[in-house]
Amino acid sequence: MGGAPHTISVFGLGYVGCVTAACFSNRGHTVIGVDMNPAKVEALNSGRSTIIEAQIDDLVAGAYRACRLHATSDATRAVLESDVSFVCVGTPSRPNGRLDLSHIEHVCREIGQGLARKRSRHAVVIRSTILPGSTRAVVIPVLQAVSGKRAGADFAVCYNPEFMREGTAIADFREPPYTVLGAQDPADLTLLRELYDWVPGKVYETSLEVAEMVKYVSNAFHALKVAFANEMGTLAKQLGVDTDVVTRIFTSDTRLNISPAYLSPGFAFGGSCLPKDVRALNYKAKELDLRLPLLESLLPSNSQHIERAVEAILATKKRRIGVLGLSFKAGTDDLRESPQVQLIKRLLGEGCEVRVWDRYVSLGRIAGSNRQFIEETIPHIGQLLENRLEDALARAEVVVIGTSSVSRDELARCLRPEQTVIDLVNLDKSRRPAANEHYQGICW
Ligand SMILES: NC(=O)c1ccc[n+]([C@@H]2O[C@H](COP(=O)([O-])OP(=O)(O)OC[C@H]3O[C@@H](n4cnc5c(N)ncnc54)[C@H](O)[C@@H]3O)[C@@H](O)[C@H]2O)c1
């Protein structure tokens, strides 16, 4: 067990709460479960789990026999008798999809009443899934208003998302992929750090909002992967291709497929392959009368990202734009379906004066379908292209970084402090223009 045994109250005895209660009591802590549902309180008080889950019956029964696990509906007493309260109440959808925080608000009011009467320091740890900003905007204000005390100064508030999956929840609790501890001030994490000092895997200490967001990014990505696999399987089956073999080969690539590759926010995809191939799959699906909404959404999503860049540039209300990067990615002169080219075309249409520089693009050298594409898309591209970076930026009010092939020194030499810099490629922090207060990323 990590550190000294503590008394822990767990609010909400559903899947997350029951697993949290059982696992912490199994580690030698005393746990008080709290739920408004008398049947769940009664279950724990008889040594029975409130949920069906592998291994949990034995854990609950063992902790109950050792007098380390009981339940109550008296929230105030639970707060007074514990050092820390884990909040695991439900956060369902309202009919319109909006997140319903009413259970969170209710439980925070109850915990606040306990805090009002408490002499020793207490920590409130939210485990329920709540949108970024909710702990700061809802949890803390309610706790403060009801208790009459101040978060940080008088009690700690932390956010600790749960990554367990039903069916393997106990194993996931014991071996989480990582543990994320969010707080306004790292000092608020002292007790939580101690409670988790046994976990294998990395422990990340971060802000409340990052901790809240990591949970949603994880779940959205899991949903995306399931939908993607199902759509690809559907298409493969209709094409008479063995889905299992395709999946086995596809997932064996841990460099590009099952990897962090392509998962950093940046600019739109382009080039001679991805748009064309996604288009071909969509067309084939249509021919087969298949509806594959995820696959259909990829190109519109990509166009929307280019539009976001256009809007960010136009929002500066400045019209002289220097664009660094013309090809679809650094290190190539391939302009076919380059989102940078689409961006420049849109800016020209909006009446902007655009100068362009790309280390790898020289009109004299490009030929074939590449040349044909650029001449059809922006016929006077030759008049916009500059050979020297400084010439592209000389008159620019806004500098758009659309290539990672530009060094910190080059930027430092050519940028002026009054220029707005819009970064589309998520330049490494060490390469971003130092001390440029007008720097903005497109989605970071
Ligand atoms: N189920 C999962 O696998 C899972 C995994 C990770 C995160 N989460 C998140 O954790 C949260 C809880 O999920 P769950 O599946 O355990 O929910 P659940 O519906 O199974 O349990 C919620 C419990 O909270 C109780 N409750 C509601 N208001 C209360 C109050 N004021 N005081 C005390 N108890 C109260 C309910 O009676 C219920 O027993 C949600 O935000 C969910 O999104 C769930």
Side-chain angles (χ1 to χ4, degrees), residues 105-134:
E105 290 178 47
H106 187 251
V107 90
C108 286
R109 277 195 292 276
E110 292 186 319
I111 293 174
Q113 285 162 12
L115 289 177
R117 292 177 44 195
K118 189 143 187 192
R119 297 252 169 106
S120 55
R121 194 171 167 82
H122 195 84
V124 180
V125 181
I126 309 297
R127 304 220 76 196
S128 303
T129 303
I130 53 177
L131 286 166
S134 305

Coordinates of all heavy atoms in Angstrom, one line a residue, residues 105-134:
E105 N -23.5 18.6 -9.4 CA -23.8 19.8 -8.6 C -24.4 19.4 -7.2 O -24.1 19.9 -6.2 CB -24.8 20.7 -9.3 CG -24.1 21.4 -10.5 CD -25.1 22.3 -11.3 OE1 -25.8 23.0 -10.7 OE2 -25.1 22.1 -12.5
H106 N -25.3 18.4 -7.3 CA -26.0 18.0 -6.1 C -25.0 17.4 -5.1 O -25.0 17.7 -3.9 CB -27.1 16.9 -6.5 CG -27.9 16.5 -5.3 ND1 -27.8 15.3 -4.8 CD2 -28.9 17.2 -4.6 CE1 -28.7 15.2 -3.8 NE2 -29.3 16.4 -3.7
V107 N -24.1 16.5 -5.6 CA -23.2 15.9 -4.7 C -22.2 16.9 -4.1 O -21.7 16.9 -3.0 CB -22.5 14.7 -5.4 CG1 -21.2 15.1 -6.1 CG2 -22.2 13.6 -4.4
C108 N -21.8 17.9 -4.9 CA -20.9 19.0 -4.5 C -21.6 19.8 -3.3 O -20.9 20.2 -2.4 CB -20.5 19.9 -5.6 SG -19.3 19.1 -6.7
R109 N -22.9 20.0 -3.5 CA -23.6 20.8 -2.4 C -23.5 19.9 -1.1 O -23.2 20.5 0.0 CB -25.0 21.0 -2.8 CG -25.2 22.3 -3.7 CD -26.6 22.8 -3.7 NE -27.5 21.8 -4.5 CZ -27.6 21.8 -5.8 NH1 -26.9 22.7 -6.5 NH2 -28.4 20.9 -6.4
E110 N -23.7 18.6 -1.3 CA -23.7 17.8 -0.1 C -22.3 17.7 0.6 O -22.1 17.8 1.8 CB -24.1 16.3 -0.4 CG -25.6 16.3 -0.8 CD -26.0 14.8 -1.0 OE1 -25.2 14.1 -1.6 OE2 -27.1 14.5 -0.6
I111 N -21.3 17.6 -0.3 CA -19.9 17.6 0.2 C -19.6 19.0 0.8 O -18.9 19.1 1.9 CB -18.9 17.2 -0.9 CG1 -19.1 15.8 -1.3 CG2 -17.4 17.4 -0.5 CD1 -18.3 15.3 -2.5
G112 N -20.1 20.0 0.2 CA -19.8 21.4 0.7 C -20.4 21.5 2.2 O -19.7 22.2 3.0
Q113 N -21.5 20.9 2.4 CA -22.1 21.0 3.8 C -21.1 20.3 4.8 O -21.0 20.8 5.9 CB -23.5 20.4 3.8 CG -24.5 21.3 3.2 CD -25.8 20.5 2.8 OE1 -26.0 19.3 3.2 NE2 -26.7 21.1 2.0
G114 N -20.6 19.2 4.4 CA -19.6 18.5 5.2 C -18.4 19.4 5.4 O -17.8 19.5 6.6
L115 N -17.9 20.0 4.3 CA -16.7 20.8 4.4 C -16.9 22.0 5.4 O -15.9 22.3 6.1 CB -16.3 21.4 3.0 CG -15.7 20.4 2.0 CD1 -15.5 21.1 0.7 CD2 -14.4 19.7 2.5
A116 N -18.1 22.5 5.4 CA -18.4 23.7 6.3 C -18.1 23.3 7.7 O -17.7 24.2 8.5 CB -19.8 24.1 6.1
R117 N -18.3 22.0 8.1 CA -18.2 21.6 9.5 C -16.8 21.0 9.8 O -16.6 20.6 10.9 CB -19.3 20.7 9.9 CG -20.7 21.4 9.9 CD -21.8 20.4 10.1 NE -21.5 19.5 11.2 CZ -22.2 18.4 11.5 NH1 -23.3 18.1 10.7 NH2 -21.9 17.6 12.4
K118 N -16.0 20.9 8.7 CA -14.8 20.1 8.9 C -13.6 21.0 9.4 O -13.4 22.1 8.9 CB -14.4 19.5 7.6 CG -13.3 18.5 7.7 CD -13.5 17.3 6.9 CE -12.4 16.3 7.3 NZ -12.2 15.2 6.4
R119 N -12.9 20.5 10.4 CA -11.7 21.2 10.9 C -10.5 20.9 10.1 O -9.7 21.8 9.9 CB -11.5 20.9 12.4 CG -12.7 21.2 13.3 CD -12.3 22.4 14.1 NE -13.5 23.0 14.8 CZ -13.7 22.8 16.1 NH1 -12.9 22.1 16.8 NH2 -14.8 23.3 16.6
S120 N -10.3 19.6 9.8 CA -9.0 19.2 9.1 C -9.2 19.4 7.6 O -10.3 19.6 7.1 CB -8.7 17.8 9.5 OG -9.8 17.0 9.1
R121 N -8.0 19.4 7.0 CA -8.0 19.6 5.5 C -8.6 18.4 4.8 O -8.4 17.2 5.2 CB -6.6 19.8 5.0 CG -6.5 20.4 3.6 CD -5.1 20.8 3.3 NE -5.0 21.1 1.8 CZ -5.3 22.2 1.2 NH1 -5.8 23.2 1.9 NH2 -5.1 22.3 -0.1
H122 N -9.3 18.6 3.7 CA -10.0 17.6 3.0 C -9.7 17.8 1.5 O -9.5 18.9 1.0 CB -11.5 17.7 3.2 CG -12.3 16.5 2.8 ND1 -12.5 15.4 3.6 CD2 -13.0 16.2 1.7 CE1 -13.2 14.5 3.0 NE2 -13.5 14.9 1.8
A123 N -9.7 16.7 0.8 CA -9.5 16.8 -0.7 C -10.8 16.2 -1.4 O -11.3 15.2 -0.9 CB -8.3 16.0 -1.1
V124 N -11.2 16.9 -2.4 CA -12.3 16.4 -3.2 C -11.8 16.1 -4.6 O -11.1 16.9 -5.2 CB -13.4 17.5 -3.3 CG1 -14.6 17.0 -4.2 CG2 -13.9 18.0 -2.0
V125 N -12.0 14.8 -5.0 CA -11.4 14.4 -6.2 C -12.5 13.9 -7.2 O -13.3 13.0 -6.9 CB -10.5 13.1 -6.0 CG1 -9.8 12.7 -7.3 CG2 -9.4 13.5 -5.0
I126 N -12.6 14.6 -8.3 CA -13.7 14.3 -9.3 C -13.2 13.2 -10.2 O -12.1 13.3 -10.8 CB -14.1 15.5 -10.1 CG1 -14.4 16.7 -9.2 CG2 -15.3 15.2 -11.0 CD1 -15.6 16.6 -8.3
R127 N -13.9 12.1 -10.3 CA -13.6 11.0 -11.2 C -14.6 10.9 -12.4 O -14.3 10.3 -13.4 CB -13.6 9.6 -10.5 CG -12.7 9.5 -9.3 CD -12.0 8.2 -9.2 NE -10.9 8.1 -10.2 CZ -10.3 7.0 -10.6 NH1 -10.8 5.9 -10.1 NH2 -9.3 7.0 -11.4
S128 N -15.8 11.5 -12.2 CA -16.8 11.4 -13.2 C -16.2 12.2 -14.4 O -15.4 13.1 -14.3 CB -18.1 12.2 -12.8 OG -18.6 11.6 -11.6
T129 N -16.7 11.8 -15.6 CA -16.3 12.4 -16.8 C -17.1 13.7 -17.0 O -18.3 13.7 -17.1 CB -16.6 11.5 -18.0 OG1 -15.9 10.2 -17.8 CG2 -16.1 12.1 -19.3
I130 N -16.3 14.8 -17.0 CA -17.0 16.2 -17.2 C -16.1 17.0 -18.1 O -14.9 16.9 -18.2 CB -17.1 16.9 -15.8 CG1 -15.8 17.0 -15.0 CG2 -18.2 16.2 -15.0 CD1 -16.0 17.8 -13.7
L131 N -16.8 17.9 -18.9 CA -16.2 18.6 -20.0 C -15.1 19.6 -19.4 O -15.3 20.1 -18.2 CB -17.2 19.4 -20.8 CG -18.0 18.6 -21.7 CD1 -19.3 19.4 -22.2 CD2 -17.2 18.1 -22.9
P132 N -14.0 19.9 -20.2 CA -13.0 20.8 -19.7 C -13.6 22.1 -19.2 O -14.4 22.7 -19.9 CB -12.1 21.0 -20.9 CG -12.3 19.7 -21.7 CD -13.7 19.3 -21.5
G133 N -13.2 22.5 -18.0 CA -13.6 23.8 -17.5 C -14.7 23.5 -16.4 O -15.0 24.4 -15.6
S134 N -15.3 22.3 -16.4 CA -16.4 22.1 -15.4 C -15.9 22.1 -14.0 O -16.7 22.6 -13.1 CB -17.1 20.7 -15.7 OG -17.5 20.6 -17.0

